[in-house]
Amino acid sequence: MISFLLCLALLIIGYFVYGKIVDNTFGPDDRETPAVRINDGVDYVVMPQWKLFLVQLLNIAGLGPIFGALQGALWGPVVFLWITFGTIFAGGVHDYFSGMMSERNDGASIAEVTGRYLGPVMQNIMRVFSVVLLIMVGTVFAVGPAGLIVTLCKNSGMSGLLTTTLFWLIIILVYYFIATFISIDAIIGKIYPVFGICLIIMAVGVIFGIFTNPAYTIPEIWANFGNMHPSGTPIWSFMFITVACGAISGFHSTQSPLMARCMKSEKQGHFVFYGAMVCEGVIALIWAAAGCALYTITDGKMAGLAEALAAGQSAAIYDVCAKTMGGVGIALAMIGVVICPITSGDTAFRSARLTLADWLKIDQDSYANRLKLCVPVLGVGAFLGIGNALGFINYTVIWRYFSWTNQTLAMIVLWAASMYLFKEKKNYWITAVPATFMSAVSCTYFVLAPECLGKMINTYADGKLVAYNTAVAYPIGIIFAIAMLALFIYATKKHTASQKA
């Protein structure tokens, strides 16, 4: 429990100390923000700081810091360190700069921002990459909640239309269309703060339930420092990919521009972007602690947690909430597993619309122009979602790549932020160091993971994975990270030389 409290204290201190260093490095000033200057009443709308914070938290969180942290707990309390230091030195920095660079560029989507600092080739790659990723996220966060609602209806004794996935999927997609189309302050700005508070209350309830129940003990890092994964899955870099939301997540960079278009002052960035990430880190730390405390450690391995997770996201969250908070926890769990994914899904589709709008130079202040993008974006999402519900489309395999692409996106954004700071003649190492680290993480995972290149280098017997070939993957990851850093330094020197010429 002491190590949990220390990590919690470090997160809080990190917000006030390192978060302020990050803020001072960027240098917010009193310039007119896009929300004030453009203010189209749809996407550019001035919102109060407390609302910006809660909407940003729910946009970036969803079930990510809950389920990802529970999965991370399979490696034992060592996951506390990644959540803590990842949030302070990587996730908070990533979210802050993705939001503030967007704000400095008229609230542009992350693809346009990245292109400005890394060149047109990367811009086009990021445009396609972002739109595909966002539509995929939005679709999955429509299919998932629809299935959960069906389960809840059946468990409540209902029958007929209300127990069909297709019915609820259509309802959710209709909501997504409305939320994507209308003003951000009409639905998102009004109800998201409420659900953001629910997400925080659920986390507080879980940790309070652990502290007040003598049957639960959060294990110490120093007494269980090592790989406790039941399957022996390597910590590097699987844990760093698994726990994305709650440490660092590239998906956040697609969401931060939404709030960058709603800030009244640049000085709100520290609280809205870095602060929301730290809050998510705290939520992830609590759920990781729950995963370690509520299940047993047998022979140096986590026991019971893998079985709970195998039953599905909703079942695992339901189990933790029921054990720590009883009936109230069950009610919060039901809200969380249904509402949280939906609140990430609708903003994913909204971000896809805005990314396309920036790409195609289509103003979004008229109904007709928004329809031009909402219809195809939601149309593709509906095709994929309904096709999956009817059984003729299966994108489960594709979704496995999300974890890797998510952290690769974070890596690219951090390199873009490094180039921005270099051009502004500011301390770019504050972003270049985590960018280098995430380069090693992404490359190592891509080489090692069975769904990527792992099938070619790992050891298999009778079609089953026997051992990971870390002796090959680790050096490749390190070499790639060094190469990326060298490429960045070369680019800075080339830029400096061109400026002198």
Side-chain angles (χ1 to χ4, degrees):
M1 187 174 294
I2 295 175
S3 54
F4 167 80
L5 293 175
L6 285 174
C7 288
L8 180 62
L10 283 173
L11 280 170
I12 296 171
I13 294 171
Y15 167 75
F16 289 103
V17 178
Y18 197 73
K20 199 60 183 175
I21 292 173
V22 172
D23 194 42
N24 289 337
T25 299
F26 179 84
D29 54 37
D30 295 322
R31 73 183 64 192
E32 198 173 43
T33 63
V36 176
R37 185 174 61 258
I38 301 173
N39 202 338
D40 62 2
V42 181
D43 299 307
Y44 294 86
V45 179
V46 175
M47 295 168 60
Q49 180 171 279
W50 66 270
K51 187 178 287 189
L52 289 169
F53 170 83
L54 288 172
V55 173
Q56 172 73 1
L57 174 62
L58 208 56
N59 283 356
I60 66 175
L63 286 181
I66 298 176
F67 193 64
L70 283 175
Q71 287 182 308
L74 288 169
W75 282 276
V78 68
V79 72
F80 298 170
L81 297 177
W82 169 230
I83 291 172
T84 302
F85 294 107
T87 294
I88 295 171
F89 297 108
V93 175
H94 167 274
D95 287 17
Y96 178 88
F97 277 96
S98 62
M100 296 304 288
M101 287 193 302
S102 173
E103 188 275 335
R104 283 280 172 95
N105 289 276
D106 291 332
S109 61
I110 196 60
E112 305 306 308
V113 172
T114 302
R116 175 162 185 173
Y117 300 108
L118 296 183
V121 174
M122 184 57 69
Q123 182 180 51
N124 288 324
I125 291 174
M126 286 289 288
R127 282 168 170 170
V128 176
F129 187 84
S130 297
V131 172
V132 172
L133 180 67
L134 287 166
I135 292 177
M136 185 168 64
V137 170
T139 303
V140 171
F141 284 158
V143 174
L148 294 173
I149 295 173
V150 169
T151 301
L152 293 173
C153 289
K154 288 181 178 179
N155 291 341
S156 301
M158 298 180 185
S159 60
L161 190 63
L162 294 178
T163 58
T164 60
T165 302
L166 184 59
F167 171 77
W168 288 109
L169 179 60
I170 292 174
I171 295 296
I172 292 172
L173 287 171
V174 169
Y175 161 72
Y176 279 0
F177 181 86
I178 295 171
T180 303
F181 181 77
I182 64 176
S183 170
I184 193 170
D185 200 34
I187 295 179
I188 294 173
K190 286 184 169 58
I191 65 173
Y192 273 36
V194 176
F195 294 130
I197 292 172
C198 287
L199 186 66
I200 295 171
I201 291 174
M202 186 160 56
V204 172
V206 167
I207 198 62
F208 182 77
I210 293 173
F211 282 167
T212 56
N213 192 328
Y216 303 136
T217 302
I218 302 174
E220 305 294 358
I221 297 173
W222 44 82
N224 302 275
F225 190 80
N227 187 353
M228 304 179 71
H229 199 288
S231 301
T233 305
I235 291 177
W236 181 267
S237 61
F238 285 88
M239 186 183 75
F240 298 85
I241 291 287
T242 300
V243 185
C245 294
I248 179 172
S249 169
F251 175 69
H252 296 186
S253 67
T254 68
Q255 302 302 293
S256 293
L258 295 180
M259 292 301 97
R261 301 181 184 216
C262 300
M263 295 167 54
K264 185 178 181 180
S265 168
E266 282 195 347
K267 295 177 182 178
Q268 295 174 327
H270 177 221
F271 180 65
V272 173
F273 299 122
Y274 198 96
M277 183 61 229
V278 169
C279 186
E280 188 186 44
V282 171
I283 292 171
L285 183 66
I286 289 172
W287 281 91
C292 292
L294 270 60
Y295 303 93
T296 59
I297 297 174
T298 305
D299 298 327
K301 302 291 183 182
M302 291 298 303
L305 178 56
E307 291 73 15
L309 291 169
Q313 294 186 16
S314 57
I317 295 169
Y318 183 96
D319 187 45
V320 170
C321 289
K323 287 179 178 177
T324 56
M325 293 181 283
V328 174
I330 292 173
L332 285 172
M334 291 171 65
I335 294 173
V337 298
V338 173
I339 297 299
C340 287
I342 291 176
T343 57
S344 292
D346 60 4
T347 53
F349 280 118
R350 191 180 191 92
S351 295
R353 170 175 69 80
L354 294 173
T355 300
L356 285 171
D358 289 346
W359 182 358
L360 303 174
K361 310 299 183 197
I362 301 175
D363 291 334
Q364 295 295 283
D365 54 354
S366 71
Y367 291 115
N369 283 346
R370 294 202 296 278
L371 279 173
K372 289 178 183 177
L373 299 180
C374 284
V375 170
V377 165
L378 269 297
V380 173
F383 174 77
L384 293 173
I386 294 173
N388 181 77
L390 295 177
F392 64 83
I393 291 179
N394 187 345
Y395 49 77
T396 302
V397 176
I398 298 176
W399 182 248
R400 292 177 191 168
Y401 291 93
F402 170 73
S403 296
W404 173 74
T405 54
N406 185 44
Q407 299 300 61
T408 301
L409 177 59
M411 172 197 80
I412 295 171
V413 171
L414 284 170
W415 283 123
S418 301
M419 186 56 69
Y420 163 81
L421 289 173
F422 167 75
K423 290 182 177 180
E424 293 291 321
K425 296 181 173 56
K426 296 179 179 180
N427 177 23
Y428 54 77
W429 290 108
I430 205 167
T431 52
V433 170
T436 304
F437 180 84
M438 292 309 299
S439 297
V441 168
S442 295
C443 182
T444 303
Y445 181 86
F446 186 76
V447 174
L448 203 57
E451 62 267 24
C452 298
L453 299 182
K455 286 188 176 180
M456 295 190 295
I457 69 167
N458 296 330
T459 304
Y460 290 84
D462 298 325
K464 293 184 178 181
L465 179 64
V466 176
Y468 290 96
N469 194 343
T470 56
V472 172
Y474 288 0
I476 291 176
I478 293 172
I479 292 170
F480 177 77
I482 294 173
M484 290 295 290
L485 179 60
L487 182 62
F488 169 73
I489 294 174
Y490 169 77
T492 59
K493 290 182 178 180
K494 185 178 179 181
H495 182 271
T496 301
S498 65
Q499 292 293 100
K500 291 179 180 180

